[in-house]
Each structure stands twice: as structure tokens, then as C-alpha cells.
Amino acid sequence: MMMAVALFSIERGLGKIVDMEKQIISFLEIEKESEIKADLETLISLVTRYKLNWDNEHFVASNHMVSIIKRDARKNMEVYRKKVETVLNNSKQFRPITQSKVKSTSSDLQKNFQYYRLCLYNFSLASMMEVLLSENFKEDNITKIRDEIRGMSDKYRELFSDCSIRLEKMGNAAVKVKLERIGVAGKKKVGKLIRKIPFLKEGLVDELQGSGEHLKKNAVSMEMQAVKEFAPMGNPGTNVFIEKMEDMIQIYNRTSQICFDNEKIYLI
């Protein structure tokens, strides 16, 4: 009965797991790390088949394979984290900051964050499957694994925040450089310069002032696009695994009675 309840909990979260997998994989259509992607597909296959094979000893023996995937995910996670940090540190050396440098930095950060997130996701899913396949549902064991995922996710979010702030600063600096180059320093300054031109009609002054403001808005919009495109990387998608582990703790360690009626099962 405990296993039935646990399976229900996993099944209820399966939609989120598969949806997040599709979201992550969608970023890898052009440039792929086939081994890392294959590991995720293997884990998704295991979690979807688990409810039909949880008592099959040959299926449970795949615990060894999951441990290997988890080990590789941990190693690759550090590789991509360091690559992100390198891009971030190099971006601070750019002088002056131009639109092309903002774009190239954004592209490099996105690419490496995609793989960093994929490795973290693999690690988290493998950790959950390791608990299920080992059938070690002791609270201390699950809590330790859950807290490790939570800590890694926090590190991911912190680095993402640093990169987002850096991209925004680079964007602002690039806007300033662009405005200086095209000579747009604001509506008032442009207006003063234009009004010095003899015989210029007032309507044309307003039109030219508006064009300056339009150029300024376009510059800001173009630079902020880099931050907008980077934003989806902020969610590592690991909360669903943390929630499932907390369910397991509740089911296997804090339940004294199980009752049921025609519609529901109650854990007491």
C-alpha cells in the first residue's frame, strides 16, 4: 500500500517532469551533446516504466546504470558551470562594450547554461530514481539527497542571477555607447541644436526630436532583448524532484496508518 501511494505521487508529477524535459531539449536542436541528451531520455524512460516494474528484480538492477548517469551528470555540471564563469569573467574585460559583444556574450552564456541546466536536471532525476530503485526510503537517506539537489539548484540560480545582472549592465553600457556614436543625447539637447538652424519650421523640429527619441528607444529595446532571451534559463526545473522526495519522506517515515474509502486513500 505504501508503494501504491508512492507510485501515485510519482505519476502525479510525471507530467511536470516530461514537460520540463521537452523544454530543456528544445534548446538543444541546433547544437547537441548527444551523450547528455541520451542520459536524460534513458532516465525519462525509467521513470515512466517504474510503476509497471517496481517489483521486477531485473528492472531494479538498473540502479547501477542510474548511478553512472548521476556520476557523469555531476562531473559535466561542474564543467559547464566553469565555462559559464569563464564567459562571465571575460565579459568584464570588454572596453568599450558594443552591441556585438553583448550578443556574443549572451549567446555563449545561453549555450553553456543550457547544458549546465540539463546536467543538473539529469542529476536530480537520477537521484530520485536511485532512491526508488534502491528502495532505501529511510528519512536520513532521502533528506541528504534532497538537500544536495536543493543546494546545487541554489548555486545554479545564484550564477544565473549574476549573469543576468551582467547582461543588463552590458546592455545599458552598449546603449550609452550607441547613443554617443549617433549623437542622440536626449530630446532637449537635440531640440536646442535643431533650433539653431535658420528658417526651420517648428513642426519639423518636433519631428526630428521624435526621431531622436525613437532611435533611443530602439537602442534600449535591442540591448534588453539579450536579457529577455536569457530569462528562460532561470528555472532549473528541479523543484518537482524535491517535492517527490518530500512525499516519500512523508509516506514511508511519518505515516502510522493508511485508511481508504471508495474514492480516496488517507495517510495518517
Side-chain angles (χ1 to χ4, degrees), residues 168-183:
E168 188 171 357
K169 287 181 177 179
M170 288 182 70
N172 291 335
V175 167
K176 184 177 180 181
V177 169
K178 183 179 290 186
L179 292 179
E180 287 174 351
R181 286 178 177 176
I182 63 177

Side-chain angles (χ1 to χ4, degrees), residues 88 113 155-167 230 234:
L88 181 62
F113 252 104
K155 286 178 67 177
Y156 176 96
R157 292 187 183 95
E158 287 171 8
L159 185 56
F160 172 82
S161 178
D162 290 343
C163 292
S164 294
I165 292 170
R166 181 59 192 159
L167 277 178
F230 186 57

Side-chain angles (χ1 to χ4, degrees), residues 111-128:
K111 181 180 69 175
N112 287 301
F113 252 104
Q114 285 162 12
Y115 293 121
Y116 180 16
R117 180 171 67 165
L118 177 56
C119 293
L120 174 57
Y121 195 79
N122 279 359
F123 180 87
S124 303
L125 180 51
S127 296
M128 185 186 78

